[in-house]
Amino acid sequence: MSRSSLVMIHGASGATALLVIASFWSLAFVSEFFAAPDTVILLRQIILYALPLLVLALASAGASGARLAGRSKAPQIVAKMARMRVAALNGLLVLIPSAVFLGLRAQAGDLSGAFGYVQLLELCAGALNIVLLGLNMRAGMAMKARKRTRTA
């Protein structure tokens, strides 16, 4: 696969992952503070069923990013990889289990007790991942812009 194809896949996958996480976060925020219980249940189901899309986008962004980075020690790449490690751990240890827990509790119609606490935890963890992925997107765009000016 050519480097330019890999760059396109990485950018599209990363943007998709950020968009999905931001959408999940927005839905969770609205459902927590403004929605009726029936709407909360529906939104939690949407998030639960769309979770595989997020996992695929993140896996594709991570794999293509790792391939593009190679063994580079450039500070921007090292920083992007460090942010991705934190985002991946946050996703695997907090966001995915929270989404599953909340989706299953919503399916059962149980929005009481731990639901609100886990929802709050998920909102905080999701905000962290939005920031981390946003910083990575900004760094990637800056790297691409610098490369364009060097080759022009």
Side-chain angles (χ1 to χ4, degrees), residues 77-93:
I77 292 174
V78 170
K80 281 185 71 164
M81 292 178 78
R83 284 190 292 266
M84 277 312 298
R85 281 188 208 97
V86 172
L89 284 173
N90 187 31
L92 290 172
L93 300 177

Side-chain angles (χ1 to χ4, degrees), residues 6 10 59-72 77 81 84:
L6 208 51
H10 183 67
S60 176
S64 58
R67 185 141 181 228
L68 284 166
R71 295 176 189 243
S72 175
I77 292 174
M81 292 178 78
M84 277 312 298

Side-chain angles (χ1 to χ4, degrees), residues 32 102 113-122:
E32 178 66 19
L102 295 168
F115 189 93
Y117 294 113
V118 174
Q119 179 74 50
L120 186 59
L121 173 66
E122 184 189 49

Side-chain angles (χ1 to χ4, degrees), residues 119-136:
Q119 179 74 50
L120 186 59
L121 173 66
E122 184 189 49
L123 285 170
C124 292
L128 174 62
N129 270 16
I130 290 169
V131 169
L132 293 171
L133 292 177
L135 289 171
N136 273 6

